[in-house]
Amino acid sequence: MSETHAHRRDALRSRLRERDLDALLVTDLLNIRYLTGFTGSNAALVVHAADENRTVFCTDGRYLTQAEEQVPDLERVIDRASDVTLAQRLGEEATVYRRVGFESQHVTVDNRDVLDDAAGKSELVRAPGVVEGLRLIKDESEIDALRMACSAADRALADLIEHGGLRPGRTELEVARELEARMLDNGAAGPSFETIVATGANSAVPHHRPTDAVLTSGDFVKMDFGALVDGYHSDMTRTVVLGKPADWQREIYELVRASQAAGRAAVKVDAEVRDVDSAARQVITDAGYGERFLHGLGHGVGLEIHEAPTLSQRGDGRIAERMAVTVEPGVYLAGQGGVRIEDTLVVRPGTPELLTLTTKELVEV
């Protein structure tokens, strides 16, 4: 992966030069992982805008061996106060590091003052979102990790259903715990986020947290969950019914399924994110349930479970090739029940690549 990380740093250097920055002080751990492969809990990184040989990585003694293994291609400094240590180094070479960007979206006001003092005559300049802008477009190694994470989640749900894990009498918490365990059994390092299992009227709460509520025959059961593989997150929602669906359940399920299909079809290179949301939302609005669609259509996924872009009416920007996004419309009838169907997709020329492959037909358990 060293070659991949070096390529990412090359791309970052181009962005720094466009901003007339001599370097970037990277302090967000996910961005450091993206640029170096390092997975420890304390690190900082300076990426020079023109010279890879001036890129310096710093962590503390706990990660000495790990840093040697994960960051073999960069100069390594060992010090507990990693960000301050590198800021001091900038100040010592202020003629080289005149204007240095820092990740202002991740640095507290107090720590900015500390870094300013340490950097001396090097000017620290706000540079939010520079690395995140690169992370918007996934390379094929990232897509491979996302594909494996989605596969682990698909297999976990299939195993849960096959072995009777969804049945009347179980609680939401029991189902959530089993689903997470089955993701681990299928190769996940852990869940992407706290698993949502919502039965009956609870399924009308978009982000319900599992409780001791008991699954009952005739209920909708909504499950929103994901697997973590190599630091990358999958995200999927499926809604099933315990037994035979009532007419109202089949109606809103098929409505959400049609909306989700329209949203997936709208995920095209250069499409406005708002237009993607509108394509799915209009299906639900035309059916008279517009006010029951309570959230945006989707979001980016990657090293974080919620990344840019945001697919919503308030979103901004366009879809680009190799973005990884979710499409997750829902209809929620308070006190009665709700449906959400969600997939993770990768934007490709023409039709997007679907990573979550579990059926979207209404499953009767």
Side-chain angles (χ1 to χ4, degrees), residues 136-209:
L136 271 170
I137 310 300
K138 272 53 181 181
D139 58 42
E140 292 301 327
S141 67
E142 294 179 285
I143 294 170
D144 285 343
L146 287 167
R147 193 180 289 115
M148 288 188 290
C150 290
S151 178
D154 278 326
R155 295 197 305 269
L157 180 56
D159 290 347
L160 179 77
I161 294 173
E162 180 182 349
H163 292 93
L166 281 175
R167 63 180 184 273
R170 300 200 82 194
T171 69
E172 294 171 340
L173 279 169
E174 288 171 338
V175 173
R177 288 167 182 161
E178 181 175 346
L179 192 51
E180 291 181 352
R182 291 191 178 277
M183 285 191 284
L184 294 174
D185 291 342
N186 281 286
S192 289
F193 52 90
E194 183 180 5
T195 297
I196 294 171
V197 175
T199 189
N202 291 340
S203 62
V205 180
H207 273 195
H208 172 75
R209 300 183 71 180

Side-chain angles (χ1 to χ4, degrees), residues 262 266 270-280 297 312-313 317-318:
D270 210 36
E272 291 274 2
V273 294
R274 295 178 186 176
D275 292 343
V276 178
D277 180 281
S278 294
L297 180 65
S312 75
Q313 292 299 289
R318 293 180 180 273

Side-chain angles (χ1 to χ4, degrees), residues 255 278-290:
L255 175 60
S278 294
R281 192 173 300 276
Q282 194 63 49
V283 174
I284 292 174
T285 299
D286 288 348
Y289 288 95

Side-chain angles (χ1 to χ4, degrees), residues 144-347:
D144 285 343
L146 287 167
R147 193 180 289 115
M148 288 188 290
C150 290
S151 178
D154 278 326
R155 295 197 305 269
L157 180 56
D159 290 347
L160 179 77
I161 294 173
E162 180 182 349
H163 292 93
L166 281 175
R167 63 180 184 273
R170 300 200 82 194
T171 69
E172 294 171 340
L173 279 169
E174 288 171 338
V175 173
R177 288 167 182 161
E178 181 175 346
L179 192 51
E180 291 181 352
R182 291 191 178 277
M183 285 191 284
L184 294 174
D185 291 342
N186 281 286
S192 289
F193 52 90
E194 183 180 5
T195 297
I196 294 171
V197 175
T199 189
N202 291 340
S203 62
V205 180
H207 273 195
H208 172 75
R209 300 183 71 180
T211 68
D212 289 327
V214 176
L215 279 62
T216 302
S217 182
D219 279 356
F220 269 142
V221 181
K222 182 185 70 193
M223 295 164 287
D224 186 344
F225 60 102
L228 186 66
V229 173
D230 291 338
Y232 286 82
H233 301 71
S234 72
D235 199 356
M236 176 170 72
T237 305
R238 291 295 185 267
T239 306
V240 304
V241 65
L242 299 180
K244 293 294 181 181
D247 289 345
W248 71 268
Q249 290 174 314
R250 190 173 295 281
E251 176 190 355
I252 66 166
Y253 189 91
E254 292 304 325
L255 175 60
V256 172
R257 190 159 74 102
S259 169
Q260 209 259 355
R264 285 188 286 114
V267 176
K268 295 184 180 297
V269 174
D270 210 36
E272 291 274 2
V273 294
R274 295 178 186 176
D275 292 343
V276 178
D277 180 281
S278 294
R281 192 173 300 276
Q282 194 63 49
V283 174
I284 292 174
T285 299
D286 288 348
Y289 288 95
E291 293 184 357
R292 306 291 189 170
F293 185 178
L294 304 174
H295 48 76
L297 180 65
H299 54 85
V301 289
L303 287 171
E304 295 177 275
I305 187 59
H306 291 104
E307 296 186 346
T310 299
L311 308 185
S312 75
Q313 292 299 289
R314 296 183 178 182
D316 189 29
R318 293 180 180 273
I319 298 293
E321 185 177 352
R322 288 188 283 115
M323 284 182 173
V325 299
T326 68
V327 174
E328 49 181 305
V331 169
Y332 309 94
L333 307 181
Q336 191 172 0
V339 173
R340 180 164 66 251
I341 302 172
E342 175 186 21
D343 284 314
T344 298
L345 318 167
V346 173
V347 183

